[in-house]
């Protein structure tokens, strides 16, 4: 069996052997703690049936664990300097494919179709922190068939994903994530589990995708536009947030009408509204927009 990369000595040895230089712009912090890797694999509940998409394999540390647990792994890495390293560190795993690409430019729906017959895939990654939210939102919004996403993210982002209305971490990301999935915080991970050490604490979060969204709305795009507008200016009332949004074109009178129809106070704030309440708001605003056209 291949010697595992998940320890500081082996990681440094591989990096030095290949003369690899860390690129800050790619958010490169490689895992060196085997306990953390075991926790990621356990949280992701990977079986030999699963096709796993890994985003950013680095030198292949997590990929080795995934290859042993899953049927097939495709790992997408942007940094071409890592490709020869991955060829070496993953040479003994026949169920791994490495693609040298920016994951945001890859057609993931087509990949899931080709590799898993369109059945839900699992996504597992120690994500580059500079694009955590775009990657997760892309997976959800482009409707890639995904049963779960288990990822290392900044601790603060993990807290935002699972926050409830009225708490300081609650915001547009909480609502977006909870519309699509059920978050579960699997582990807190300190900076010393990585080379180089990130400046912030990290956490492993698993997002199990809902089969059906927990709320039904007439227009998903309008729901998200309203959520964005409500949190664009924190501490403002919902009324002002919606009125000031360039994405929406609602007048004060129209918003007052919506609030009255919902029985909400005009001073209500977005940060205390639940997903169910945003869904009701969205359908009520939808009626106004439709009436305009009619
Ligand atoms: N999985 C490895 C580990 O746990 O040790 C490395 C994780 S490191 C935090 C993030 C990885 O994502 C790096 O290898 C980086 O080069 C890669 N990466 C950054 N941006 C990317 C992108 N847009 N598409 C694909 N990979 C990317």
């Amino acid at each position: 069996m291949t010697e595992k990369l998940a320890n500081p000595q082996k990681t440094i040895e591989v990096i030095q052997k290949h003369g690899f230089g860390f690129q800050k712009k790619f958010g490169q912090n490689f895992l060196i703690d085997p306990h953390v890797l075991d926790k990621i694999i356990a949280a992701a509940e990977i079986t030999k049936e699963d096709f796993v998409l890994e985003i950013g394999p680095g030198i292949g540390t997590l990929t080795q664990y995934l290859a042993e647990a899953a049927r097939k792994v495709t790992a997408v890495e942007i940094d071409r300097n890592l490709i020869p390293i991955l060829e070496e560190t993953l040479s003994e795993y026949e169920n791994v494919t490495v693609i040298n690409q920016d994951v945001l430019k890859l057609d993931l729906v087509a990949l899931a179709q080709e590799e898993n017959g369109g059945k839900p895939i699992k996504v597992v990654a120690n994500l580059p922190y500079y694009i955590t939210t775009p990657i997760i939102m892309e997976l959800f919004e482009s409707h890639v068939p995904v049963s779960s996403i288990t990822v290392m993210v900044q601790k603060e982002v993990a807290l935002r994903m699972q926050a409830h209305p009225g708490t300081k971490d609650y915001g547009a990301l909480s609502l977006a994530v909870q519309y699509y999935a059920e978050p579960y915080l699997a582990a807190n991970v300190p900076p010393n589990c990585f080379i180089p050490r990130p400046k912030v604490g990290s956490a492993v979060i698993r997002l199990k995708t809902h089969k059906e969204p927990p709320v039904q709305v007439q227009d998903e795009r309008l729901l998200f536009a309203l959520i964005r507008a409500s949190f664009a200016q924190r501490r403002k009332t919902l009324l002002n947030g919606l009125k000031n949004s360039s994405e929406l074109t609602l007048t004060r009178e129209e918003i007052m009408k919506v609030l009255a129809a919902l029985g909400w106070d005009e001073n209500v704030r977005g940060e205390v509204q639940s997903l169910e309440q945003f869904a009701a708001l969205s359908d009520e605003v939808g009626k106004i927009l439709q009436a305009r056209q009619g």
Side-chain angles (χ1 to χ4, degrees):
M1 206 198 278
T2 321
E3 193 190 342
K4 287 276 178 53
L5 295 161
N7 65 70
Q9 298 75 22
K10 187 72 193 164
T11 299
I12 291 166
E13 185 192 311
V14 168
I15 286 168
Q16 286 182 344
K17 179 178 163 196
H18 290 267
F20 174 76
F22 285 97
Q23 298 222 53
K24 229 176 166 182
K25 67 171 179 185
F26 290 144
Q28 293 173 338
N29 301 97
F30 297 165
L31 272 168
I32 49 167
D33 186 329
H35 303 294
V36 174
L37 287 144
D38 287 334
K39 280 188 189 161
I40 297 175
I41 299 296
E45 297 171 343
I46 296 162
T47 71
K48 275 287 165 195
E49 311 271 283
D50 288 322
F51 170 78
V52 176
L53 166 68
E54 186 193 2
I55 298 160
I59 59 168
T61 312
L62 174 58
T63 327
Q64 292 183 331
Y65 281 69
L66 294 171
E68 283 172 18
R71 173 176 59 81
K72 170 95 209 276
V73 181
T74 292
V76 183
E77 174 55 61
I78 198 170
D79 186 351
R80 65 184 159 83
N81 294 332
L82 287 166
I83 304 304
I85 303 184
L86 288 164
E87 268 165 24
E88 188 179 297
T89 58
L90 302 174
S91 63
E92 284 182 29
Y93 298 96
E94 284 174 4
N95 58 345
V96 178
T97 305
V98 175
I99 302 177
N100 183 202
Q101 251 280 26
D102 176 347
V103 72
L104 291 175
K105 296 200 178 126
L106 205 64
D107 184 343
L108 297 174
V109 175
L111 182 76
Q113 183 60 42
E114 274 161 35
E115 297 286 357
N116 214 32
K119 290 198 300 295
I121 66 169
K122 288 185 176 163
V123 177
V124 183
N126 169 16
L127 284 178
Y129 292 169
Y130 75 107
I131 44 166
T132 300
T133 304
I135 289 177
I136 289 177
M137 291 320 294
E138 171 65 22
L139 287 166
F140 286 141
E141 285 172 0
S142 62
H143 294 283
V144 180
V146 169
S147 56
S148 66
I149 302 173
T150 306
V151 279
M152 180 84 71
V153 296
Q154 280 183 45
K155 174 84 191 288
E156 173 227 317
V157 174
L159 294 178
R160 276 162 48 203
M161 286 181 183
Q162 52 159 215
H164 296 297
T167 62
K168 77 170 174 27
D169 295 317
Y170 188 64
L173 183 65
S174 327
L175 282 154
V177 163
Q178 292 167 31
Y179 178 76
Y180 290 108
E182 190 187 332
Y184 162 72
L185 198 134
N188 285 313
V189 183
N192 63 6
C193 295
F194 305 85
I195 289 181
R197 294 182 183 194
K199 289 201 179 67
V200 291
S202 303
V204 178
I205 192 153
R206 181 188 66 210
L207 309 173
K208 263 197 189 168
T209 322
H210 298 305
K211 294 217 163 52
E212 291 290 330
V215 295
Q216 304 294 329
V217 284
Q218 296 294 325
D219 182 348
E220 224 174 69
R221 290 224 313 262
L222 179 58
L223 171 69
F224 284 106
L226 289 163
I227 290 172
R228 275 192 294 275
S230 306
F231 288 95
Q233 300 161 297
R234 272 195 107 88
R235 284 180 287 281
K236 283 242 158 122
T237 60
L238 188 68
L239 175 62
N240 281 331
L242 301 188
K243 193 162 57 71
N244 296 342
S245 159
S246 53
E247 211 177 336
L248 302 159
T249 54
L250 295 165
T251 63
R252 185 185 160 84
E253 290 63 40
E254 285 172 327
I255 302 166
M256 291 295 283
K257 218 169 132 186
V258 167
L259 294 180
L262 292 165
W264 295 0
D265 191 278
E266 66 178 84
N267 293 320
V268 72
R269 289 168 194 278
E271 62 217 45
V272 299
Q273 302 302 96
S274 65
L275 182 56
E276 289 71 18
Q277 287 169 315
F278 271 105
L281 175 70
S282 172
D283 283 349
E284 214 48 60
V285 170
K287 284 185 205 161
I288 298 263
L289 298 180
Q290 264 183 351
R292 267 194 206 162
Q293 285 167 359

